[in-house]
Amino acid sequence: MPHRERYLFVCINRRPDGDPKGSCAEKGSEKIADDLKAAIAKLGVQKKIRACRSSCLDLCEIGVSIVVEPDH
């Protein structure tokens, strides 16, 4: 597997309806993950950057969570 300069981990966790924290999926994270993958492909930087779907990153209450590695 090639080593990339950056990995974008997009939370696509979905909590039950009515959960006070909400969830990234209900805030549109699945589309964001798809859009990031498409943008990376359009720019031709797949060997440098990869967008990945992730389980819960535990910050859903503030919006869609994306972790950029290795920058944290």
Side-chain angles (χ1 to χ4, degrees):
M1 182 168 130
H3 178 75
R4 293 181 173 91
E5 293 175 22
R6 296 287 178 279
Y7 291 87
L8 309 174
F9 294 96
V10 182
C11 174
I12 59 162
N13 185 54
R14 185 175 297 278
R15 288 191 175 88
D17 291 342
D19 188 292
K21 281 185 93 170
S23 67
C24 289
E26 76 179 3
K27 295 173 183 164
S29 65
E30 293 164 320
K31 181 175 181 340
I32 290 171
D34 291 342
D35 290 349
L36 280 172
K37 288 181 181 192
I40 289 166
K42 184 177 180 180
L43 293 170
V45 293
Q46 301 95 319
K47 291 185 179 184
K48 292 184 178 188
I49 303 170
R50 180 170 181 200
C52 307
R53 291 170 178 244
S54 170
S55 61
C56 187
L57 297 170
D58 203 28
L59 294 169
C60 297
E61 69 273 10
I62 62 173
V64 174
S65 298
I66 302 173
V67 173
V68 179
E69 290 294 343
D71 300 325
H72 307 295

